[in-house]
Amino acid sequence: MHNYIRDINSKLSRVGIVLIDKPWESKMLNQNVFALKWKHDRTSETNNFHIEKKWRQALYELKSKLKAYKPYLLTTRISSLNREAKMALEDNDFTLIERYLEMQHDLKLIPSLSNNNVIRLSVKSDLLMLEKVAYESFRYSRFHNDPQIRNEVANRTRSEWLKESFHGRSDFILVAETDQKVTGFLVCRKESSANGVKGIIDLMAVPHSYRRRKVGYDLTAEFLKYCKERHYDIASVGTQAKNIPAVRLYEKTGFVLHKSYYTYHIHIRDQI
């Protein structure tokens, strides 16, 4: 498959698109999953029909070239300002799954914890309980938002993500306890670049029965404290725009909107 994808990318790269095989998602969904990456986000509001036409044609040809891998899911995330890509995707029957918000925190002012909950670092014995929390607590991920993906499959992507975080994916994992019961977790992943070190909230969950008890707030506040103590340069989190409680939580703890994206999916089964 890798050679085939390389051949496809030799043509896609001419219009600034790259096709990527997604083995982890393929395993979770029990079908081939591919992602499209856009080398450059167009941020101009001026309509550019020429590039839109090229992208539209490239996507049409790509669907045909991938027919040997049916059934498959093709997914992509674009800047919400990239009107030309949006039009090209929708003309090729991609479905808008979510508006995704990337929020950032400069780590200058760290909120205080509420003292309603105990926040600690995870230990190995937490894994089974946290897997259960992850499986049961999500509603707004891109997998949950896709009507062609069953809820139990979407739930499993969250619990498996959490399990992999225990096995090296994360920089650290915070666990919340309320009345001596585990009531949530937050996974932090560190990312280094020329712009510095970024602490990313990779996954966070609180059971429905413990919401509105400052569990998410305290997890986020402690995460920011850890990032500052470890001399990270910035903190980041992504969430769905329709997940209003999460957006409000991050705003309350000092995050501000950095970028906005659209996530698109197309499922190819019996027909192209």
Side-chain angles (χ1 to χ4, degrees):
M1 182 185 294
H2 295 293
N3 289 337
Y4 190 63
I5 290 178
R6 186 170 62 246
D7 291 341
I8 291 175
N9 279 330
S10 66
K11 294 184 178 180
L12 281 179
S13 61
R14 299 171 189 171
V15 293
I17 304 176
V18 177
L19 180 71
I20 301 171
D21 181 29
K22 305 294 283 186
W24 187 83
E25 287 87 342
S26 297
K27 178 183 176 182
M28 291 294 99
L29 302 186
N30 195 30
Q31 66 177 31
N32 290 309
V33 179
F34 304 97
L36 290 174
K37 298 294 184 182
W38 305 74
K39 291 183 178 180
H40 303 288
D41 282 333
R42 298 183 60 80
T43 57
S44 172
E45 295 183 3
T46 302
N47 181 30
N48 189 328
F49 180 75
H50 180 66
I51 189 63
E52 180 187 324
K53 183 179 178 180
K54 283 188 173 183
W55 283 341
R56 187 190 303 116
Q57 183 62 31
L59 293 173
Y60 178 81
E61 294 175 358
L62 173 62
K63 290 190 295 179
S64 296
K65 290 175 180 177
L66 289 176
K67 63 184 179 181
Y69 297 101
K70 293 189 297 182
Y72 70 82
L73 165 64
L74 186 55
T75 178
T76 190
R77 181 171 285 160
I78 63 170
S79 167
S80 60
L81 298 176
N82 194 338
R83 180 184 181 279
E84 295 84 3
K86 182 177 185 294
M87 295 297 292
L89 289 163
E90 292 178 359
D91 284 348
N92 275 279
D93 300 320
F94 282 74
T95 299
L96 178 62
I97 296 298
E98 66 182 5
R99 182 174 171 230
Y100 184 83
L101 307 179
E102 181 185 343
M103 306 180 75
Q104 289 192 348
H105 195 294
D106 61 13
L107 299 177
K108 292 181 179 178
L109 183 62
I110 306 301
S112 300
L113 276 69
S114 71
N115 296 321
N116 293 345
N117 311 284
V118 174
I119 309 298
R120 60 171 175 80
L121 289 172
S122 65
V123 294
K124 290 183 179 179
S125 59
D126 291 322
L127 178 56
L128 289 179
M129 176 60 72
L130 297 187
E131 279 188 86
K132 184 174 185 294
V133 172
Y135 185 89
E136 296 177 348
S137 301
F138 286 88
R139 292 175 53 195
Y140 295 106
S141 79
R142 65 186 177 94
F143 298 116
H144 289 86
N145 289 339
D146 188 330
Q148 298 196 53
I149 297 175
R150 300 192 314 275
N151 274 340
E152 57 267 30
V153 175
N155 291 342
R156 190 164 63 91
T157 67
R158 306 302 90 182
S159 60
E160 288 295 320
W161 193 341
L162 185 279
K163 184 189 296 185
E164 292 195 6
S165 298
F166 264 80
H167 297 146
R169 178 185 174 96
S170 65
D171 186 40
F172 61 85
I173 301 174
L174 297 174
V175 175
E177 290 185 345
T178 309
D179 302 327
Q180 298 184 331
K181 294 181 179 179
V182 171
T183 54
F185 68 84
L186 183 152
V187 175
C188 173
R189 176 169 55 87
K190 182 173 68 173
E191 184 178 282
S192 300
S193 69
N195 296 322
V197 179
K198 180 193 297 185
I200 301 170
I201 297 179
D202 209 28
L203 198 68
M204 181 167 70
V206 176
H208 297 284
S209 58
Y210 281 93
R211 293 178 185 177
R212 299 181 181 276
R213 297 182 66 173
K214 294 285 188 177
V215 177
Y217 182 94
D218 286 345
L219 281 167
T220 306
E222 188 70 10
F223 157 76
L224 294 170
K225 176 185 173 185
Y226 266 79
C227 288
K228 189 175 183 67
E229 289 176 346
R230 296 180 181 206
H231 306 291
Y232 291 3
D233 298 287
I234 200 165
S236 177
V237 65
T239 191
Q240 292 70 28
K242 72 176 184 179
N243 189 351
I244 303 301
V247 174
R248 289 175 176 169
L249 165 65
Y250 297 133
E251 289 176 340
K252 285 180 182 178
T253 50
F255 283 86
V256 296
L257 180 63
H258 178 59
K259 291 182 179 179
S260 173
Y261 301 89
Y262 292 133
T263 303
Y264 282 88
H265 285 182
I266 186 170
H267 293 264
I268 300 297
R269 291 188 169 91
D270 296 329
Q271 296 180 350
I272 292 292

